[in-house]
Amino acid sequence: MSIQKPSIPKGTRDFGQKEMARRNYIFDTIRSVFATFGYSEIQTPAQENLSTLLGKYGEEGDKLLFRIQNSGEKAALAPEKGLRYDLTVPFARFVVQHQSEISMPFKRFQIQPVWRADRPQKGRYREFYQCDVDVIGSTSLLNELELVQMVDAVFRKLGVRVAVKINNRKVLTGFAEIAGAPDKVVDITVAIDKLDKIGMDKVVEEMAEKGVSASGIDVIREILSLGGSFREKFSSMKALFEGGSSSGIVSEEGLRGLAELEELFGLIDIAGVSSQVDLDLSLARGLNYYTGAIFEVKALDWEIGSICGGGRYDNLTGIFGLPGLSGVGISFGADRIYDVLTGLELFPPTLEQSTTLLFAVMGADELCYVIPIAAALRSKGISVEIYPEPSKLKKQFEYADRHNIPFISINGSNEIEAGSVNVKNLQSGEQKAFKASEIDEIAGFLR
Amino acid sequence: MSIQKPSIPKGTRDFGQKEMARRNYIFDTIRSVFATFGYSEIQTPAQENLSTLLGKYGEEGDKLLFRIQNSGEKAALAPEKGLRYDLTVPFARFVVQHQSEISMPFKRFQIQPVWRADRPQKGRYREFYQCDVDVIGSTSLLNELELVQMVDAVFRKLGVRVAVKINNRKVLTGFAEIAGAPDKVVDITVAIDKLDKIGMDKVVEEMAEKGVSASGIDVIREILSLGGSFREKFSSMKALFEGGSSSGIVSEEGLRGLAELEELFGLIDIAGVSSQVDLDLSLARGLNYYTGAIFEVKALDWEIGSICGGGRYDNLTGIFGLPGLSGVGISFGADRIYDVLTGLELFPPTLEQSTTLLFAVMGADELCYVIPIAAALRSKGISVEIYPEPSKLKKQFEYADRHNIPFISINGSNEIEAGSVNVKNLQSGEQKAFKASEIDEIAGFLR
């Protein structure tokens, strides 16, 4: 075997001990919140049949699928396979495949990596984790409320101040209807979605290019300039949908969307979430399959794109032969949340230390002396290391320092004779001697 | 899009909520034990460059690698890639690639899926999790002791009685030496490894076929028939390696292996593990790269292959250009441990219940009434669901039953007027009324 300089594929990452501790902190926080709302975890395989994946993500998505080469004698006969591209399509496949085993409403979350053969660039990877939470089989807006509550609880626990932005796909349909362009809802939605980035003039230009009439554009402009509180925006929109816009057109669909928003914001008031929650009429999200509420979450104190997004869909499982199931879900962007916590220095400093106490060792007798003491402390749940080879104390102190180990215990022949244990707090310098049998007392000093 | 009956690739699995709760219980138990010994987690990407993987698992292994098709314009230029086949080679690659960032001894564990294009059969999958714990950069036998202690602690926590079987690769080399066949150590090892399965006669036959002389076979037979305690086996082996076998040959390597075993068993005595620990002279493990201690763990009360295995290796990172690093590690077989816990009914029954309390809902007023109470209970860490649509109580009770939810709360206009909350323990039938503000009291009743 020739010696090779090792590397990993472009767009993929190793996670060392510090990154893993931080990533696990994020995922554990999210998991603990999901659990208090009765959501439980599932996992699906990394490989799906290619037929499950193809045609679900548009032409561009099909190109970005990682395909697996079939091997072995029967390679030509075996179904082609690809790597999971997101968690939504596998979830839909799971629900249909296991429909006889699961009961509705079905509340699940899933935290797994996905793979996309995208051109790697800053913040865009070919392997990254998604973290999706969905409930399927219930149309109640209580589900939308609970997603907002979960977002609120997760970011409160993480210490990140966020704004939750909410809109409704039916309201976007209403925009197109009262603009006299009911067939152009996707074009209008896509244009509006860019308002933040490209400004009103460019949005108007794009809609004109797509064939929205000048009077229609005036109506959209009227809508997007609405300001004020939820109540104020809501009343203005209601008047427009009831025929009060310059086109005079009534939109029943738009009014249904408004009614859903009114109910949801009412529930949010009752529940009393601590995050800022806004109605954002320009919020569209590119995805075409949302049919009701749409969500997006932004960090207030750190400049980055949205850190969560989602919405209600009415026919996710239809492509796999099970129509009529409505669901709503939200996806947490783990990599961006990681960047926000890093930027705002919100990771708890204790994540850096995995071990509480290091027993320094100068010889075989000392080693044998501390082994049972270390075992007893571990059985109390305390993380203990014994330095594995007798070596200079300086080296062992350096080890403690590099690994952020806050306590060290150095014991020589005197301690062995006396049956005692010395423990030193490396931060404060405080040092205490215990009897070797006083495990609870030592554990107390270490906590 | 045509409608398709959904399925997943052969040899892969979906994990539903019950399986995930059980799998997480196993992994969390293992993680918590690793943490008390100062081991921390890393992760590597699912895809590795094919050059990292090829030639590391033998010819057969190369065939079983899942290869990724390159796509896009520059497909022909990009390095070929394959899916992770185990966690050992990526670990070696990680250590070499990040050698400037990590300090020795480096204690890591890794819990991730691996993929093998094996023919699927009962208990053999194309995607399965491995759970490896290794320390590299230290030759101290304290590391071997700590692996045994970790095995002991994991299975004590899981409630599984196990036997830890230990041997030493140097002792196996000694066998070949005193059998006069020092060049046949691999053949002899492979034959001996099958003793349990095929019996002594077949082992003898296999060694003869591989060219071990009749007198050499007599020596091996002499060794494998040794019985008694560790002390007794140890003394007999020592005499044989010192020239007391029928060949009269002395094996220095065999004596070194014995000395290591003696030291390790001495440390195990001092540490006081509760599992049975045996010297097993027939334990060889197929793998060729072990150079010192070899481990295998078996469940005592459930018939299944080994549930953990590992050993010491001296040159894992040499293939990637970093020679001279000794390490030792062990791998936990998650699927088999799952089967043992299922077979012995050792999973805690509480794993089946994810939610503690269900608020039944009969109308919009009741819904609005319970939302803030549910929120307050969740903020105390209690898992609460609200039934999302007003429906017949029977249906809501069925939901509680199917999801093993132990408490239900039904509140109507009387409770709303009185500001009270009814909570019923569905197992005992006990029912209690609280003021809606008595969140701590309700939480206490639910615990």
Side-chain angles (χ1 to χ4, degrees):
Chain A
M1 275 173 280
S2 65
I3 287 175
Q4 38 192 297
K5 191 172 170 287
S7 65
I8 50 176
K10 260 201 312 186
T12 70
R13 292 167 289 176
D14 283 325
F15 297 118
Q17 303 183 309
K18 179 173 161 184
E19 287 124 309
M20 275 308 296
R22 293 179 160 202
R23 291 173 66 85
N24 282 339
Y25 168 70
I26 294 172
F27 291 133
D28 290 346
T29 302
I30 291 175
R31 272 200 182 90
S32 72
V33 169
F34 289 172
T36 61
F37 286 79
Y39 284 74
S40 22
E41 190 166 8
I42 70 161
Q43 286 190 346
T44 62
Q47 302 184 28
E48 293 275 354
N49 289 324
L50 207 54
S51 57
T52 299
L53 303 173
L54 280 176
K56 309 302 188 298
Y57 308 106
E59 253 178 71
E60 193 53 29
D62 283 355
K63 277 189 214 150
L64 298 182
L65 290 173
F66 276 110
R67 295 169 188 227
I68 310 283
Q69 285 177 27
N70 277 325
S71 59
E73 299 163 30
K74 296 181 181 165
L77 298 169
E80 289 185 283
K81 290 171 281 285
L83 292 182
R84 189 167 56 219
Y85 183 88
D86 73 357
L87 302 179
T88 306
V89 168
F91 172 54
R93 196 262 312 141
F94 180 98
V95 169
V96 178
Q97 189 174 331
H98 301 279
Q99 54 187 290
S100 64
E101 303 146 43
I102 60 186
S103 62
M104 300 296 167
F106 181 57
K107 298 162 101 174
R108 86 88 172 79
F109 72 90
Q110 193 169 351
I111 302 177
Q112 291 192 276
V114 302
W115 296 271
R116 296 180 184 181
D118 240 324
R119 183 186 297 273
Q121 58 186 59
K122 191 176 176 303
R124 190 197 286 166
Y125 304 100
R126 291 185 154 187
E127 171 179 81
F128 58 97
Y129 269 72
Q130 288 193 335
C131 172
D132 281 19
V133 56
D134 290 82
V135 50
I136 198 164
S138 163
T139 55
S140 167
L141 291 173
L142 175 68
N143 300 300
E144 275 83 342
L145 166 67
E146 292 194 347
L147 291 181
V148 172
Q149 289 181 292
M150 287 194 278
V151 165
D152 180 55
V154 164
F155 290 107
R156 200 173 51 231
K157 284 199 172 195
L158 293 176
V160 179
R161 296 194 317 130
V162 298
V164 182
K165 296 181 178 298
I166 302 182
N167 198 3
N168 190 296
R169 176 59 198 261
K170 296 185 180 80
V171 168
L172 293 169
T173 303
F175 291 174
E177 287 181 2
I178 64 173
D183 55 324
K184 296 212 159 48
V185 58
V186 172
D187 290 333
I188 293 173
T189 300
V190 168
I192 289 178
D193 199 26
K194 300 178 192 159
L195 183 64
D196 267 2
K197 278 188 202 148
I198 63 178
M200 183 67 90
D201 289 352
K202 295 268 181 194
V203 169
V204 163
E205 205 174 286
E206 185 170 323
M207 287 191 290
E209 274 168 22
K210 295 286 181 183
V212 182
S213 68
S215 60
I217 287 175
D218 283 345
V219 173
I220 303 286
R221 209 200 287 266
E222 209 175 335
I223 295 163
L224 293 182
S225 58
L226 292 178
S229 68
F230 170 75
R231 255 303 127 209
E232 287 158 350
K233 282 193 224 171
F234 178 81
S235 304
S236 315
M237 281 307 307
K238 191 154 183 251
L240 294 176
F241 284 148
E242 281 170 343
S245 78
S246 53
S247 74
I249 299 170
V250 173
S251 170
E252 296 295 343
E253 185 74 351
L255 288 168
R256 270 192 291 274
L258 276 186
E260 288 181 12
L261 283 172
E262 187 177 30
E263 186 181 339
L264 176 55
F265 275 82
L267 292 174
I268 292 170
D269 270 351
I270 291 170
V273 306
S274 60
S275 301
Q276 180 184 325
V277 182
D278 304 316
L279 171 62
D280 181 351
L281 294 172
S282 77
L283 176 65
R285 293 187 66 77
L287 280 167
N288 215 356
Y289 60 75
Y290 292 128
T291 52
I294 309 170
F295 304 101
E296 210 164 88
V297 180
K298 295 217 170 188
L300 290 177
D301 305 313
W302 193 255
E303 194 73 40
I304 203 165
S306 69
I307 52 178
C308 292
R312 178 169 288 276
Y313 40 83
D314 276 344
N315 199 17
L316 187 69
T317 56
I319 39 169
F320 296 116
L322 187 65
L325 271 186
S326 185
V328 58
I330 203 161
S331 184
F332 286 74
D335 286 309
R336 285 188 175 171
I337 295 171
Y338 187 100
D339 289 346
V340 171
L341 293 178
T342 305
L344 296 175
E345 296 180 13
L346 289 173
F347 283 112
T350 48
L351 291 182
E352 309 263 322
Q353 81 185 46
S354 62
T355 298
T356 304
L357 172 65
L358 176 70
F359 280 105
V361 167
M362 267 103 48
D365 287 348
E366 289 92 338
L367 177 65
C368 293
Y369 179 65
V370 301
I371 283 175
I373 305 169
L377 286 168
R378 285 173 183 139
S379 75
K380 301 276 173 196
I382 297 189
S383 176
V384 176
E385 286 187 67
I386 302 174
Y387 198 82
E389 11 260 322
S391 38
K392 286 194 180 144
L393 265 183
K394 182 164 177 285
K395 201 171 164 194
Q396 304 191 45
F397 269 99
E398 277 168 8
Y399 182 87
D401 189 47
R402 255 199 314 270
H403 290 81
N404 297 296
I405 302 176
F407 293 91
I408 199 163
S409 176
I410 306 168
N411 305 285
S413 49
N414 290 344
E415 282 77 14
I416 297 181
E417 215 163 290
S420 67
V421 181
N422 265 324
V423 183
K424 181 172 183 173
N425 182 326
L426 288 168
Q427 268 118 56
S428 69
E430 188 190 355
Q431 190 161 337
K432 259 187 112 164
F434 301 88
K435 284 189 197 150
S437 57
E438 294 175 333
I439 296 301
D440 285 329
E441 286 76 4
I442 302 173
F445 185 63
L446 297 171
R447 279 193 182 106
Chain B
M1 277 172 278
S2 66
I3 286 174
Q4 39 190 296
K5 190 172 171 288
S7 65
I8 49 176
K10 259 202 311 185
T12 70
R13 292 167 290 176
D14 283 326
F15 297 117
Q17 303 181 311
K18 180 175 160 183
E19 287 122 308
M20 275 309 295
R22 294 179 160 201
R23 291 173 66 84
N24 282 340
Y25 167 69
I26 294 172
F27 291 133
D28 290 346
T29 302
I30 290 175
R31 273 200 183 91
S32 72
V33 169
F34 289 172
T36 60
F37 285 80
Y39 283 74
S40 26
E41 190 165 8
I42 70 160
Q43 285 190 347
T44 62
Q47 301 183 29
E48 292 276 354
N49 289 325
L50 207 53
S51 57
T52 299
L53 302 173
L54 280 177
K56 309 302 188 298
Y57 308 106
E59 253 180 70
E60 193 53 29
D62 282 356
K63 279 189 211 150
L64 299 182
L65 290 173
F66 276 109
R67 294 167 188 230
I68 310 284
Q69 284 177 27
N70 277 324
S71 59
E73 301 162 31
K74 296 182 182 165
L77 299 170
E80 288 185 284
K81 290 171 281 285
L83 292 182
R84 188 168 55 218
Y85 183 88
D86 73 357
L87 302 179
T88 306
V89 167
F91 172 54
R93 195 263 311 141
F94 180 98
V95 169
V96 178
Q97 190 174 330
H98 301 279
Q99 54 187 293
S100 63
E101 303 146 42
I102 61 185
S103 62
M104 300 296 168
F106 181 56
K107 298 162 101 175
R108 87 88 171 78
F109 71 90
Q110 193 169 352
I111 301 178
Q112 290 193 278
V114 301
W115 296 271
R116 297 180 183 181
D118 239 324
R119 182 186 297 273
Q121 58 186 59
K122 190 176 177 304
R124 189 196 286 166
Y125 303 101
R126 291 185 153 187
E127 171 179 82
F128 58 96
Y129 270 72
Q130 287 194 336
C131 173
D132 281 18
V133 55
D134 289 82
V135 50
I136 198 164
S138 163
T139 55
S140 166
L141 290 174
L142 175 68
N143 300 300
E144 273 84 343
L145 166 67
E146 292 195 348
L147 291 181
V148 172
Q149 289 181 293
M150 287 194 276
V151 165
D152 180 55
V154 164
F155 290 107
R156 200 172 53 230
K157 282 199 174 196
L158 294 175
V160 179
R161 297 196 315 131
V162 298
V164 182
K165 296 180 179 300
I166 302 181
N167 199 4
N168 190 296
R169 177 57 200 261
K170 296 185 180 81
V171 167
L172 292 169
T173 303
F175 291 174
E177 287 182 2
I178 63 172
D183 55 323
K184 297 211 158 49
V185 58
V186 171
D187 291 333
I188 293 173
T189 300
V190 167
I192 288 178
D193 199 26
K194 299 179 192 160
L195 183 65
D196 267 2
K197 278 188 202 145
I198 63 177
M200 183 68 90
D201 289 352
K202 295 267 182 195
V203 169
V204 164
E205 204 174 287
E206 187 171 321
M207 286 192 291
E209 273 167 23
K210 295 285 182 185
V212 182
S213 68
S215 60
I217 288 175
D218 282 346
V219 172
I220 304 286
R221 207 200 288 266
E222 209 176 333
I223 295 163
L224 293 182
S225 58
L226 292 178
S229 68
F230 170 75
R231 256 302 128 209
E232 287 159 348
K233 281 193 225 172
F234 178 81
S235 304
S236 315
M237 281 307 307
K238 191 153 183 254
L240 294 177
F241 283 149
E242 281 171 342
S245 77
S246 52
S247 74
I249 298 170
V250 173
S251 170
E252 295 295 342
E253 184 75 350
L255 288 169
R256 270 191 291 275
L258 276 186
E260 287 181 14
L261 283 172
E262 188 177 28
E263 185 180 340
L264 176 54
F265 275 81
L267 292 174
I268 292 170
D269 270 351
I270 291 170
V273 305
S274 60
S275 301
Q276 180 184 325
V277 182
D278 305 316
L279 170 63
D280 182 350
L281 294 172
S282 77
L283 177 66
R285 293 187 66 77
L287 280 167
N288 216 355
Y289 60 76
Y290 292 129
T291 51
I294 310 170
F295 304 101
E296 209 163 271
V297 180
K298 295 217 169 188
L300 290 177
D301 305 313
W302 193 255
E303 193 74 39
I304 203 164
S306 69
I307 53 180
C308 292
R312 178 170 287 275
Y313 41 82
D314 276 344
N315 198 17
L316 188 68
T317 56
I319 39 171
F320 297 114
L322 188 65
L325 271 185
S326 185
V328 58
I330 203 161
S331 184
F332 287 74
D335 287 307
R336 285 189 175 170
I337 295 170
Y338 187 101
D339 289 345
V340 171
L341 293 178
T342 305
L344 296 174
E345 296 180 12
L346 289 173
F347 283 111
T350 48
L351 291 181
E352 309 264 321
Q353 81 185 46
S354 61
T355 299
T356 303
L357 172 65
L358 176 71
F359 280 105
V361 167
M362 267 104 48
D365 287 349
E366 289 93 336
L367 177 64
C368 293
Y369 179 64
V370 301
I371 282 175
I373 305 169
L377 286 168
R378 285 175 184 138
S379 75
K380 302 275 173 195
I382 297 189
S383 174
V384 176
E385 287 186 66
I386 302 174
Y387 197 82
E389 11 261 323
S391 39
K392 287 195 180 144
L393 266 183
K394 182 164 175 286
K395 200 173 165 193
Q396 304 190 45
F397 270 99
E398 278 168 9
Y399 182 87
D401 188 47
R402 255 198 316 270
H403 290 80
N404 297 297
I405 302 176
F407 293 91
I408 198 163
S409 176
I410 305 168
N411 305 286
S413 49
N414 290 343
E415 282 78 11
I416 297 180
E417 214 162 291
S420 67
V421 182
N422 266 323
V423 183
K424 182 173 183 172
N425 181 326
L426 288 168
Q427 268 118 53
S428 69
E430 188 190 355
Q431 191 161 335
K432 259 187 112 163
F434 300 88
K435 282 189 198 152
S437 56
E438 295 175 331
I439 296 301
D440 284 330
E441 287 76 3
I442 303 174
F445 184 63
L446 297 172
R447 277 192 183 109

